[in-house]
Amino acid sequence: MTNQDVVVSEMGISAGGAALPGAGGPALFACRSAAAGAMSMRQAYLDLAAVAAAARSASCTWAEAMRASSPTRSSRSAADVDEFTAWVRKHPSALSEFEQIAGASKGKKIVMFLDYDGTLSPIVADPDAAFMSDAMRAAVREVAKRFPTAIVSGRCRDKVRNFVGLSELYYAGSHGMDIKGPSSNPESVLCQPASEFLPMIDEVYKALVEKTKSTPGAKVENNKFCLSVHFRCVDEKRWNALGEQVKDVIKEYPLLKLTQGRKVLEIRPSIKWDKGKALEFLLESLGFANSSDVLPVYIGDDRTDEDAFKVLRKRGQGLGILVSKFPKETNASYSLQDPDEVMEFLLRLVEWTRKPSSSSSSSMIRPRVS
Ligand SMILES: O=P(O)(O)OC[C@H]1O[C@H](O[C@H]2O[C@H](CO)[C@@H](O)[C@H](O)[C@H]2O)[C@H](O)[C@@H](O)[C@@H]1O
């Protein structure tokens, strides 16, 4: 594999085990016990040198890994095509394998998990303009009529909820650290395992905005329980300097960690909670914790989605589908190339449930309330 294919894992480096002041507060949320790891959290030191070391061990720099996270090549060489073909052999298209997937889901209850950016909406330069199409919205609405459906995003829950605009879904914002069920259900589940971090995140947001304002194109996005520093519109020559600016701010906050997404550095609480935990929490809330007849399907395009793919692999249950036009290291079993293919897959699934021969259980399930 070339450097371009390397996916560098989480960039936070752990040490010690300090508890967060105030962590023993009232048990407000249903997921509190599941988030017990948050209370005995690792103290994480953010260090771009460590990030670079992790990247080096994968034989590339963190900036190269950042570039590779969202390649912009317009044309592909024959070697690129061959490499992609070989990769697709290992991670077949969920569209070409649709009949097999449909067969595997017979008699099972599908639960659909969808990432937002790069999965339901195309990647664009301005994070505030990442709208999904009406056609995609209609497809997701049809899916949600048949299967419990959750949007699992790095974004702030309210923001992604506004982009998607469907009240009947579960939304897990801030990389799963802010989960809420359909608004029509007053008993809906709620999970906020990092609520103690809110004041810290706000403080760091202000500090990052101030620190990075000298870097043209840099943008800091407040995702409530985590923050994103966007590199996409920053000249690559300034990436290292911007990384240093981020490091300068974060070094004062050892309880936060840094992860890398598609041309973005993400700052989040160093708790044992991620999109994989959110997936498990939602399955449990829906009453599927130990069920063998459930088929969770998770579709996502980014490194943070790997946590969910890993959970599915570990459970030996469900389908992980990576959205990518380029070969990437992944724990997903299948692939789709872009949001258009995601929409086609969703529509085929909807179509399939209409066939009398499909015996997938598509009835809506009410979540258990703890
Ligand atoms: O988990 P996701 O829903 O995929 O969210 C991950 C990040 O997505 C957004 O950033 C990405 O999409 C932007 C719009 O297309 C793009 O400009 C950016 O370069 C991408 O990294 C979002 O803005 C971030 O806050 C999320 O963390």
Side-chain angles (χ1 to χ4, degrees), residues 259-286:
T259 56
Q260 187 176 325
R262 297 183 70 174
K263 297 195 177 157
V264 70
L265 285 181
E266 292 164 328
I267 293 100
R268 43 173 155 162
S270 176
I271 62 172
K272 287 184 178 167
W273 197 269
D274 52 34
K275 288 182 171 187
K277 292 276 184 201
L279 179 149
E280 286 179 316
F281 172 81
L282 281 164
L283 284 179
E284 192 173 327
S285 303
L286 290 162

Side-chain angles (χ1 to χ4, degrees), residues 161-174:
R161 160 79 179 70
N162 284 340
F163 273 138
V164 176
L166 298 171
S167 60
E168 57 272 42
L169 309 186
Y170 292 79
Y171 287 91
S174 306

Side-chain angles (χ1 to χ4, degrees), residues 68 85 102 119 125 137 179 221 225 231 254 291 299 304 315 317 322:
T85 310
T119 297
R137 185 169 297 105
I179 304 179
E221 192 180 5
F225 294 104
F231 282 58
S291 170
I299 311 181
T304 58
R315 292 171 74 100
Q317 191 180 46
L322 178 72

